[in-house]
Amino acid sequence: MKRQEANQNLGFASRPFVLCGLPIKKPAAGQLLHERRNGQFSLQVTGHPSYGLPWGQDRLIPTFLATLAIRQQSQTIQFRRAAELLDSFGMQQGGTQYRRLVAAFQRIFGATIFFGTDIQRERAAVVHQARFNSMSEARIWYSRDADQETLPGGFQNEIVLSHEFFKEIMSHPIPTDMEAAKALSCSPAALDLFMRLSYRCFVAKGRERVPLFGDFGLVNQLGSSDYARLRKFRERLEGWLDLVQSDVAGVSGRDGYDGTGLWVDRAAAVLPAGGK
């Protein structure tokens, strides 16, 4: 209803993580390399030895950072409380969630993320943060006191995005419905599918088919590299599709799904005021 009224809660996603997803499940101990492919695009994530690979709900942080970068139009972004991330995605606040939030920031900022195409001679580093909680790169504080807005002296949380990541966000901003993302935040795989199909509908020239397998298949794009059997991926995809099809304008749903692909049509995930 909010979409039809052009009254959505507008957020922005980062293109590398829309085209190619992060791991859905916690990687095995010692696994520090994650690779996904979408046609000519490839994503390679190397985790920090101390923190490991980003996974699961860690994927919410790039969306949170991209949204703030677009809203503030700045490479240096500020926010009052780290708990704003929990608020943005409807997550409960408490000791367990705060610990998860700290660990998620460590994994994201400790990772080296490469995103590029096969036609590039070298892949450009999108995010490369070797240190976490550095005053020159990131100043993040956590408080369980909901009434405490800033540190003494008025200091806010501050993150300086890398030049490459900021340039990618500003050059390819991907609008997304934050309320839909909030509803799917507890299901990372469904959230990946929502983001991917929303973008696919936006760039479609008309009714088009999205394959499940092959160089441009969803199996290679979503953050699931452990599906040895194609039947297993189909089963999981059908469950995710049931969750997201009502949230993605332009997706034909189960009627347009035949086990090898699904049909989408051109549509915008977010409608501008007065638009259709």
Side-chain angles (χ1 to χ4, degrees), residues 213 219 226-236:
F213 311 109
V219 70
D226 56 347
Y227 296 106
R229 293 179 298 171
L230 301 184
R231 185 180 66 179
K232 190 67 174 179
F233 178 75
R234 288 192 184 98
E235 292 174 356
R236 294 292 180 90

Side-chain angles (χ1 to χ4, degrees), residues 26-78:
K26 185 176 182 178
Q31 181 182 344
L32 294 177
L33 180 64
H34 171 77
E35 295 181 290
R36 295 278 80 192
R37 173 168 291 276
N38 186 336
Q40 66 179 3
F41 290 99
S42 63
L43 175 73
Q44 183 184 86
V45 183
T46 303
H48 190 283
S50 298
Y51 308 129
L53 283 166
W55 64 279
Q57 289 186 321
D58 295 0
R59 63 199 352 94
L60 300 176
I61 291 179
T63 300
F64 178 70
L65 298 180
T67 298
L68 291 186
I70 293 294
R71 289 177 179 176
Q72 299 178 14
Q73 292 290 294
S74 173
Q75 185 174 341
T76 300
I77 59 177
Q78 295 181 335

Side-chain angles (χ1 to χ4, degrees), residues 6 17 48 68 75 120 124 126 139 141 149 185 199 205-206 246:
F17 307 111
H48 190 283
L68 291 186
Q75 185 174 341
Q120 290 179 318
V126 176
R139 181 177 59 209
W141 59 277
E149 295 292 335
S185 62
Y199 179 70
K205 294 180 172 58
S246 61

Side-chain angles (χ1 to χ4, degrees), residues 89-103:
F89 293 98
M91 300 166 67
Q92 294 183 350
Q93 298 187 25
T96 300
Q97 289 291 357
Y98 275 98
R99 287 191 292 272
R100 289 180 179 176
L101 185 60
V102 172

Side-chain angles (χ1 to χ4, degrees), residues 23-24 55-61 63-64 84-92 97 100 176-195 243-244 247:
I24 292 174
W55 64 279
Q57 289 186 321
D58 295 0
R59 63 199 352 94
L60 300 176
I61 291 179
T63 300
F64 178 70
E84 287 184 25
L85 173 62
L86 302 178
D87 295 338
S88 296
F89 293 98
M91 300 166 67
Q92 294 183 350
Q97 289 291 357
R100 289 180 179 176
T176 189
D177 186 334
M178 291 294 281
E179 292 303 317
K182 180 187 297 186
L184 297 170
S185 62
C186 291
S187 178
L191 179 59
D192 276 1
L193 184 61
F194 163 72
M195 294 285 192
L243 290 175
V244 308
D247 291 323

